[in-house]
């Protein structure tokens, strides 16, 4: 175990980390130039900064949460309604990499209006991005 120095922003997102000795001059420069706060923790290896953030107290790190949505179907015919439940409020929904809006409740309802394969991604701060492919067939046609 060694001292791991973490530099993080006001959203508690870790921007960079190092095991190298970190002087007060470096800490002060990061605060002044980049508005980054500093935390030192004991660690055996570098953290994946895309999977951890600093807790609200600013004294430890927390692993990102994972989405656990339930899809009532991932292969459907045209004009079928697909419900996705268990999505936290505030989650941004992307359809084929284009934002479709932000969830205000915990159920996403989609209507399959075009045939083909489509990627649904769920993104929220301090969550691991979740993606699922949806296949929409013309009536009676299974790909």
């Amino acid at each position: 175990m060694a001292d791991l120095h973490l530099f993080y922003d006001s959203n508690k997102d870790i921007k960079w980390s190092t095991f190298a000795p970190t002087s007060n001059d470096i800490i002060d420069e990061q605060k002044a130039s980049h508005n980054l706060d500093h935390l030192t923790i004991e660690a055996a290896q570098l953290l994946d900064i895309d999977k951890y953030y600093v807790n609200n107290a600013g004294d430890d790190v927390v692993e990102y949460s994972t989405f656990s949505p339930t899809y009532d179907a991932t292969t459907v015919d045209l004009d079928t309604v697909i419900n996705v439940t268990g999505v936290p409020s505030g989650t941004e929904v992307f359809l084929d990499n284009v934002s479709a809006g932000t969830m205000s409740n915990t159920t996403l309802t989609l209507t399959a209006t075009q045939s083909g394969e489509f990627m649904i991604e769920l993104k929220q701060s301090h969550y691991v991005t979740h993606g699922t492919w949806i296949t929409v067939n013309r009536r009676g046609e299974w790909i």
Side-chain angles (χ1 to χ4, degrees), residues 1-136:
M1 298 289 267
D3 284 344
L4 177 60
H5 298 276
L6 306 169
F7 291 87
Y8 62 95
D9 65 15
S10 60
N11 291 326
K12 307 293 187 182
D13 293 320
I14 301 168
K15 295 303 180 182
W16 68 279
S17 63
T18 184
F19 280 115
T22 305
S23 69
N24 284 336
D25 288 342
I26 292 172
I27 295 168
D28 292 343
E29 186 277 330
Q30 290 297 300
K31 182 66 173 174
S33 298
H34 305 286
N35 200 28
L36 297 179
D37 289 311
H38 173 259
L39 170 65
T40 302
I41 62 169
E42 288 289 314
Q45 62 187 25
L46 286 172
L47 298 177
D48 181 343
I49 64 172
D50 293 324
K51 294 185 180 176
Y52 290 86
Y53 63 100
V54 175
N55 67 4
N56 285 336
D59 61 3
D60 204 357
V61 294
V62 180
E63 189 170 7
Y64 277 19
S65 298
T66 55
F67 288 102
S68 297
T70 301
Y71 293 79
D72 59 8
T74 56
T75 301
V76 297
D77 285 336
L78 278 172
D79 300 321
T80 301
V81 173
I82 303 166
N83 287 302
V84 184
T85 57
V87 180
S89 181
T91 297
E92 189 171 9
V93 177
F94 289 82
L95 299 174
D96 288 337
N97 296 317
V98 176
S99 178
T102 301
M103 300 281 299
S104 60
N105 60 40
T106 61
T107 300
L108 172 64
T109 302
L110 304 166
T111 302
T113 60
Q114 258 184 311
S115 63
E117 290 189 335
F118 305 93
M119 171 58 75
I120 297 175
E121 287 184 298
L122 306 174
K123 296 182 181 185
Q124 189 173 128
S125 180
H126 303 151
Y127 275 78
V128 176
T129 298
H130 171 84
T132 298
W133 285 98
I134 301 293
T135 302
V136 180

